[in-house]
Amino acid sequence: VILVSSLLITPAATALQFAKSLKGAVLLSILLSVFASFSGLLLSIWIDTPPGATISLVSSLIFLSSLLIRRFI
């Protein structure tokens, strides 16, 4: 349950930090989700970890980096 909510909420929360409209937030959230999914799958294959948790970790790292970007820029 926590993994699924992480996969749903994290890209949307990241997108809402940068988008100026709801349409922009939805599109950015989709792009972030696709990027996190592909990079998480590749990383999970490379380091032999469960893909769901790795995708969630990548998505969370993107969120944390966006917080740092918004804070210092």
Side-chain angles (χ1 to χ4, degrees):
V1 173
I2 295 172
L3 181 64
V4 172
S5 62
S6 169
L7 293 173
L8 289 172
I9 293 171
T10 310
T14 306
L16 285 173
Q17 291 184 16
F18 297 106
K20 303 217 185 282
S21 67
L22 181 61
K23 183 178 179 181
V26 170
L27 291 174
L28 185 57
S29 177
I30 291 169
L31 290 174
L32 289 170
S33 297
V34 169
F35 176 75
S37 297
F38 281 129
S39 59
L41 281 174
L42 291 176
L43 185 63
S44 73
I45 291 169
W46 187 51
I47 60 176
D48 195 29
T49 57
T54 310
I55 292 169
S56 181
L57 177 68
V58 169
S59 185
S60 297
L61 289 175
I62 293 170
F63 176 71
L64 289 175
S65 64
S66 73
L67 283 177
L68 290 173
I69 289 170
R70 290 288 288 181
R71 186 145 177 95
F72 295 113
I73 294 179

